[in-house]
């Protein structure tokens, strides 16, 4: 097919009904990029012979080497079907779990997706993940079952077996879709029930409960994949063929004389053809007949493969002539039968026609966007659509119309920023020269040549004269001047070349975006709305009619910028565009200073920011990066900023220690980020640390049995030879510890005493706290606004219901005598005020609860109220770094059981009521940093100032008393600061009184392996502390699916080792799953006779928890107790070496 011009594409963009925005989603290695190649070759961009080999959309070098896609890239295709012309914006996405964030960025811009499934492997973990992502974004899927040639060539199935295998795959995929649909219906039903409960009249006594789940009434037939619906294509992308059953229905309706509509319904299913009666009958299996699909479709494909593979020339010729195809001599004589096969199949059943016609028929155009999807996109966080300002709600119609009129507001969503080489930009590309330019250049070349000739001739004459009469040197001066001029010219050309080179090597950022409404024009000015932008707040300052060109007041999270360039994305190429109407995918240049990763662009300030993207993978793998030469540090910092912008999933942090840390989703992702940093963004040599493995610290209930499974307390203790745990954790003076773990500690100035107890939280509660961290953050924000006596935040009922439900869940799981009234006493969560640890306010005389926002707690005015924040700050600091190895705590509850403030402390508290101090403490809490000396001085001076100002009107006796108190505050620093430090210490000692444990981050690991390498897979897993959860055999294949959990600490190099040990027959997919307690005690030493007998005196057998703890302590520069051999002697054997 002929290449389509840019002008033609721009014309097609204006016809919104003919646009299809689609992405290809699948598990890794299921054939997405090969399928994309086949679709691209139909537009003549690449040769059809290279389709599948070139992998055109894998434009990075490492993608080609590894053979996997690592980024989502877009290309626009032109497709003609009958009289209709379509523009298909195709986005190819990665299948590797490390790059699932790229899938999220692609899915947001599309209206439909093609799910590709390998006919042999069937539904894999990532297939389920991408189906879920498509479901969450409300986009419609169609299915391509790829690699059917493997059923013929590799598995050698008969057509009948292949048919039942394909039926199984369809059932598996529909089961995943069904599960997603069911959960949605049940959620909606639960919401309706809660609403009806609120509305219903309580006076009604007789209530009839409806036990139906609501699934009977809802129509879900459109959701499922079925060939007779026309949303399934059977294909082999590498061999270039694919078909939907409508192709064969048309073909056979003419031959057999049965209507196409009847054939379409019966070609897939339990139907067979009664040849005598020329009728289609039901129940093929019971009568032992061939199903229609096998008889009319699969048999033909199988016989074609058989003929070509066996080189049966007569049969091939017969098939080719009956199909009316023309096969070139080159293909038919080729040594590889696959080439011949490709030539026949790609003409007989072209895959691009089958897939693209299914896309055009079954997937929606941008005009068909659903109201549900629009509302979902416009509502950030817990807000409902009805709670948005009326001007914002009016924009819904602009979304639904997707109009390109001049009056329509421009709404664009940028899903990611990607870096391209500046040379690849259209204005930097070498363009063909015009005739005039060629003539001009020829003239210049002739002149230069003539000058050169003249210069050489002049030189010769000069030399002659010099040789003849050496006394004359008059000509020299002019010559040296000429030489100097030449040198300066050379220097200029070198510098200009260097500048040019620098400009060329610069990375340029392009925004990957989609226009949802209006027309975007080059040079247009728009608002850039950050994810925290609130249209309700800004509309008070601006009118909804104000545009980005006006001089506007400063609004938080909103800036105005100019769209410098618009690009048509064509895979590896970019083409300039002047304007892009609604419904299209495009690239926007010049946004690198305004957009970090994603943003919403609009000409209307009433537009809300779009809902953040749903990322499946959690970044967990951390490494510290530093330049090999310290002088390169500025380039590294700049490079890391660029990398952070170019990758949607990577996180770049600077830790308190000053280390620059990269947080990535997995090993492959990490490798790609480091390569980019070295070669593209920083362009310096870098040193990378060993991966920084995150741990959590926690406490458990005291164990009932010891390390040799003897019941604790019954066996006799023996003299301990080396330090026991009790000696290690000796409590310093001034700290009292009860037998049940209650720690009592006083502030340095002895004006306040705290008693704190640490308790382990039930596992279920920790899980609930982790899942609801965003909700806890919302609760904290609402409480802050209530405390500051601001007008109550516009809280919608839905958020309040979620908070109530969260509270009920906690009450449900925190039951028993120990947890009585615990939920109402929750004072704070930590670390960072939203973590999985709890602080309880469990003492008389002061009631403070985190549930203020529910309106059931009134803030008390008491002596404790002023220092409330200090206690919370101390708790935040204690939970941020635990005593074992300064890692955050998890699943710990601290109860403050006593807090006494002496009389002097009370007077101090009245003297230090100043808003500045509160602000400083708040700031301290939020930043999670320790109090600095400058802050201490500031608060001291505030106290002194207040003392002096108050003492003016008081008697001399009182003045002297006040001076003493001011000195008291000065000596130990401000009282609030002492409380913070004391609370932190109290928490740490309370924690050390309980059995401490480390928690390791765990991956779930899915491995697909054949039976012969199963043993080797298990060997690698057990060596790396892995635990197998389940093992299933895939029906109809010899492939096993193994589900296991593996500590993140042991996962580095795991994928490579598995591949090496199994000769590439098994490949794992690792996804971060949960935190798990390591059962062994890191401080354990043998204390009983049985333990001595079993573990020996030194007890130096491997303790996993201690090994991890010491590794982290070493990395952080903390003290590590290690036995270092001082006087080692060489071991000698008695016999001499012969």
């Amino acid at each position: 097919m002929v290449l389509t011009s840019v002008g033609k594409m721009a014309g097609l963009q204006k016809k919104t009904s003919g646009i299809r925005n689609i992405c290809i989603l699948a598990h890794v290695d299921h054939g997405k990029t090969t399928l994309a190649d086949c679709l691209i070759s139909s537009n003549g961009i690449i040769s059809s012979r290279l389709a599948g080999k070139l992998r055109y959309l894998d434009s990075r070098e490492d993608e080609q080497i590894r053979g996997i896609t690592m980024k989502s890239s877009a290309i626009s295709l032109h497709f003609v079907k009958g009289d209709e012309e379509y523009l298909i914006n195709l986005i190819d996405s990665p299948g590797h779990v490390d790059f699932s964030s790229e899938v999220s960025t692609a899915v947001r811009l599309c209206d439909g997706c093609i799910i590709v499934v390998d006919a042999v492997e069937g539904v894999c973990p990532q297939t389920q993940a991408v189906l879920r992502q498509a479901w969450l974004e409300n986009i419609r899927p169609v299915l391509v079952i790829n690699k059917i040639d493997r059923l013929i060539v590799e598995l050698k199935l008969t057509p009948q077996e292949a048919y039942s295998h394909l039926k199984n795959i369809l059932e598996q995929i529909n089961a995943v879709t069904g599960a997603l649909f069911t959960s949605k219906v049940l959620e909606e039903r639960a919401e309706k029930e809660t609403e009806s409960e609120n509305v219903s009249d309580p006076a009604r006594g007789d209530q009839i409960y409806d036990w139906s789940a609501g699934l009977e009434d809802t129509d879900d037939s459109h959701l499922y994949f079925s060939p007779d619906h026309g949303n399934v294509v059977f294909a082999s992308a590498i061999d270039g063929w694919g078909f939907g059953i409508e192709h064969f229905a048309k073909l056979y309706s003419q031959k057999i004389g049965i209507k196409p509509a009847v054939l379409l319904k019966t070609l897939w299913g339990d139907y067979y053809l009664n040849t005598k009666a020329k009728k289609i009958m039901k129940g093929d299996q019971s009568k032992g007949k061939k199903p229609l699909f096998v008889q009319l479709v699969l048999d033909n494909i199988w016989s074609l493969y058989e003929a070509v593979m066996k080189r049966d020339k007569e049969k091939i010729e017969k098939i080719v002539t009956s199909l009316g195809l023309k096969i070139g001599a080159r293909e038919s004589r080729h040594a590889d039968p696959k080439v011949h096969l490709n030539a026949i199949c790609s003409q007989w059943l072209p895959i691009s026609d089958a897939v693209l016609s299914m896309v055009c028929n079954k997937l929606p155009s941008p005009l068909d966007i659903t109201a549900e999807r629009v509302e979902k996109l416009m509502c950030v966080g817990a807000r409902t659509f009805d709670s948005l300002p009326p001007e914002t709600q009016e924009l819904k119609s602009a979304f639904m119309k997707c109009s390109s009129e001049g009056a329509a507001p421009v709404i664009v969503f940028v899903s990611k920023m990607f870096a391209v080489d500046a040379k690849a930009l259209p204005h930097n590309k070498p363009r063909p020269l015009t005739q005039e330019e060629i003539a001009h250049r020829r003239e210049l070349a002739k002149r230069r040549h003539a000058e050169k000739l003249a210069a050489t001739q002049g030189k010769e004459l000069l030399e002659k004269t010099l040789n003849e009469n050496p006394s004359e040197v008059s000509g020299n001066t002019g010559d040296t001047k000429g030489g100097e001029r030449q040198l300066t010219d050379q220097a200029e050309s070198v510098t200009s070349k260097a500048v040019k080179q620098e400009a060329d090597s610069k990375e340029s950022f392009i925004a990957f975006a989609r226009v949802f409404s209006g027309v975007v024009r080059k040079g247009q000015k728009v608002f850039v709305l950050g994810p925290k932008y609130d249209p309700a707040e800004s509309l008070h300052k601006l009118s909804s009619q104000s545009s980005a060109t006006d001089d506007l007041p400063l609004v938080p999270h909103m800036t105005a910028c100019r769209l410098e360039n618009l690009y048509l994305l064509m895979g590896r190429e970019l083409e300039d565009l002047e304007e892009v109407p609604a419904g299209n995918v495009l690239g926007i240049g010049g946004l690198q200073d305004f957009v970090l990763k994603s943003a919403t662009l609009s000409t209307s300030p009433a537009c809300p920011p779009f809902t953040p993207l749903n990322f499946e993978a959690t970044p967990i793998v951390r490494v510290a990066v530093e330049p090999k030469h310290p002088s390169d540090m500025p380039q590294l910092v700049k490079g890391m900023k660029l990398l952070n912008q170019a990758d949607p999933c990577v996180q770049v942090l600077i830790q308190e220690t000053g280390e620059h840390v990269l947080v990535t989703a997995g090993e492959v992702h990490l490798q790609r980020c480091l390569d980019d940093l070295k070669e593209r963004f920083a362009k310096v040599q870098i040193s990378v640390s060993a991966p920084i493995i995150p741990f959590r610290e926690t406490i458990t209930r005291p164990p009932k049995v010891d390390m040799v499974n003897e019941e604790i307390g019954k066996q006799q203790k023996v003299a301990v030879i080396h330090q026991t745990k009790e000696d290690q954790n000796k409590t310093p003076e001034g700290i009292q510890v009860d037998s049940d773990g209650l720690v009592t500690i006083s502030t340095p100035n002895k004006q306040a005493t705290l008693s704190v107890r640490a308790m382990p939280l039930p596992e279920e509660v920790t899980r609930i706290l982790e899942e609801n961290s965003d909700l806890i953050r919302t609760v904290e924000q609402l409480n802050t606004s209530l405390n500051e006596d601001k007008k109550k935040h516009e809280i919608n009922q839905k958020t309040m219901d979620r908070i109530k439900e969260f509270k009920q869940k906690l009450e449900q799981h925190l039951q028993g005598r120990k947890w009585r009234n615990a939920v109402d006493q929750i004072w704070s969560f930590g670390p960072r005020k939203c973590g999985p640890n709890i602080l309880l306010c469990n003492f008389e005389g002061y009631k403070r609860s985190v549930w203020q926002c529910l309106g059931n707690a009134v803030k008390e005015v008491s002596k404790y109220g002023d220092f409330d924040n200090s206690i919370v700050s101390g708790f935040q600091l204690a939970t941020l770094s635990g005593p074992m190895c300064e890692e955050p705590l998890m699943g710990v509850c601290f109860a403050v059981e006593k807090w006494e403030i002496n009389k002097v402390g009370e007077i101090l508290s009245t003297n230090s009521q100043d808003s500045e101090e509160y602000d400083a403490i708040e700031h301290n809490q939020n930043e999670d940093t320790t109090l600095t000396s400058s802050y201490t001085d500031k608060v001291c001076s505030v106290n002194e100032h207040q003392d002096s100002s108050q003492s003016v009107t008081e008697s001399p006796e009182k003045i002297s008393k006040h001076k003493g108190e001011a000195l008291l505050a000065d000596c130990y620093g401000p009282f609030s600061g002492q409380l913070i430090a004391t609370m932190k210490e109290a928490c740490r000692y309370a924690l050390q009184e309980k059995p401490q444990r480390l928690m390791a981050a765990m991956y779930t690991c899915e491995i697909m392996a054949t039976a012969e390498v199963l043993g080797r897979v298990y060997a690698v897993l057990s060596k790396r502390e892995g635990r197998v959860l389940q093992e299933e055999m895939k029906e109809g294949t010899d492939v096993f699916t193994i589900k296991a959990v593996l500590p993140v600490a042991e996962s580095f190099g795991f994928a490579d080792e598995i591949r090496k040990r199994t000769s590439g027959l098994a490949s794992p997919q690792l996804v971060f799953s949960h935190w798990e307690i390591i059962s062994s005690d890191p401080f354990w030493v043998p204390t009983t006779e049985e333990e001595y007998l079993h573990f020996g005196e030194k007890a130096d057998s491997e303790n996993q928890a201690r090994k991890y703890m010491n590794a982290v302590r070493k990395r952080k520069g903390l003290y590590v107790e290690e036995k270092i051999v001082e006087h080692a002697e060489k071991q000698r054997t008695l016999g001499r070496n012969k």
Side-chain angles (χ1 to χ4, degrees), residues 101-102 105 415-416 597 615 644-650 672:
S101 57
E102 292 277 350
T105 61
S415 74
K416 69 165 185 172
K597 288 175 190 268
F615 287 155
N644 188 28
Q645 196 169 12
D647 194 306
C649 191
V650 79
R672 189 193 83 170

Side-chain angles (χ1 to χ4, degrees), residues 185 229 857 1097 1130:
V185 170
H229 288 170
E1097 188 182 301
K1130 186 181 176 189

Side-chain angles (χ1 to χ4, degrees), residues 127-165:
T127 316
Q128 296 180 6
V130 294
L131 271 167
R132 188 165 56 251
Q133 275 177 308
W135 179 266
L136 287 171
E137 287 286 351
N138 288 45
I139 70 169
R140 197 180 299 169
V142 290
L143 180 67
V144 172
I145 298 182
N146 192 21
K147 303 195 183 186
I148 289 183
D149 59 298
R150 289 183 69 190
L151 301 179
I152 310 170
V153 180
E154 282 179 35
L155 299 187
K156 298 194 164 38
L157 301 183
T158 63
Q160 184 72 45
E161 288 166 343
Y163 170 65
S164 54
H165 182 73

Side-chain angles (χ1 to χ4, degrees), residues 989-1003:
Y989 286 122
L991 198 76
Q992 286 171 329
E993 287 309 309
K994 297 284 160 122
Q996 298 177 72
R997 295 287 183 273
L998 268 185
M999 293 183 88
M1002 303 297 277
Y1003 275 138

Side-chain angles (χ1 to χ4, degrees), residues 132-231:
R132 188 165 56 251
Q133 275 177 308
W135 179 266
L136 287 171
E137 287 286 351
N138 288 45
I139 70 169
R140 197 180 299 169
V142 290
L143 180 67
V144 172
I145 298 182
N146 192 21
K147 303 195 183 186
I148 289 183
D149 59 298
R150 289 183 69 190
L151 301 179
I152 310 170
V153 180
E154 282 179 35
L155 299 187
K156 298 194 164 38
L157 301 183
T158 63
Q160 184 72 45
E161 288 166 343
Y163 170 65
S164 54
H165 182 73
L166 292 171
K167 252 177 37 177
N168 279 345
I169 288 175
L170 268 175
E171 277 169 24
Q172 287 169 15
I173 295 166
N174 286 334
V176 176
T177 313
L180 291 167
F181 172 71
T182 310
S183 64
K184 182 192 170 193
V185 170
L186 294 175
E187 267 174 37
E188 283 175 359
R189 181 179 162 79
E191 274 176 26
K192 277 180 193 165
E193 271 176 16
T194 50
E195 281 169 23
S196 60
E197 275 170 26
N198 297 340
V199 174
S200 64
D201 183 18
R204 279 175 56 210
D206 53 327
Q207 281 206 347
I208 300 162
Y209 187 74
D210 177 19
W211 287 99
S212 70
L215 291 167
E216 291 84 353
D217 316 326
T218 42
D219 176 36
D220 59 349
S221 58
H222 63 282
L223 288 173
Y224 299 115
F225 299 109
S226 174
D228 51 336
H229 288 170
N231 59 1

Side-chain angles (χ1 to χ4, degrees), residues 34-47:
T34 307
L35 174 63
D37 267 8
C38 294
L39 304 183
I40 293 165
S41 70
S42 71
N43 266 225
I45 295 168
I46 62 170
S47 154

Side-chain angles (χ1 to χ4, degrees), residues 439-555:
H440 179 63
R441 286 196 177 189
R442 197 182 289 127
E443 270 308 307
L444 280 173
K446 276 181 182 174
R447 203 177 299 158
R448 227 177 286 129
H449 185 64
E451 280 173 10
K452 229 181 196 177
L453 272 173
T456 50
Q457 281 172 0
K459 238 182 192 177
E460 281 169 16
L461 280 167
L462 192 71
E463 278 172 15
K464 256 186 189 178
T465 51
L466 274 171
N467 291 342
E468 284 167 10
N469 41 358
S471 56
E472 281 181 33
V473 240
S474 57
N476 279 7
T477 51
D479 199 37
T480 50
K481 275 182 190 172
E484 276 171 24
R485 198 186 309 132
Q486 215 168 345
L487 276 170
T488 51
D489 287 354
Q490 274 180 341
E492 273 173 27
S493 68
V494 166
T495 50
S496 65
K497 264 186 192 171
V499 169
K500 201 176 179 189
Q501 221 170 354
E502 204 174 284
D504 284 355
S505 65
K506 206 179 162 199
E507 292 292 332
S508 197
F509 277 90
I510 288 171
F512 192 42
R514 166 164 172 195
V515 188
F516 281 89
S517 163
V519 181
V520 180
R521 292 184 173 82
K522 201 172 182 175
Q524 189 176 14
K525 235 184 167 196
V526 292
F527 293 118
V528 180
L529 314 175
K532 290 183 182 175
Y533 171 74
D534 185 3
E537 281 182 27
S538 69
L539 288 172
H540 296 310
K541 297 182 185 177
L542 316 168
S543 76
S544 58
Q545 301 304 314
S546 55
S547 74
T549 48
D550 307 338
D551 287 330
L552 301 170
L554 275 174
V555 176

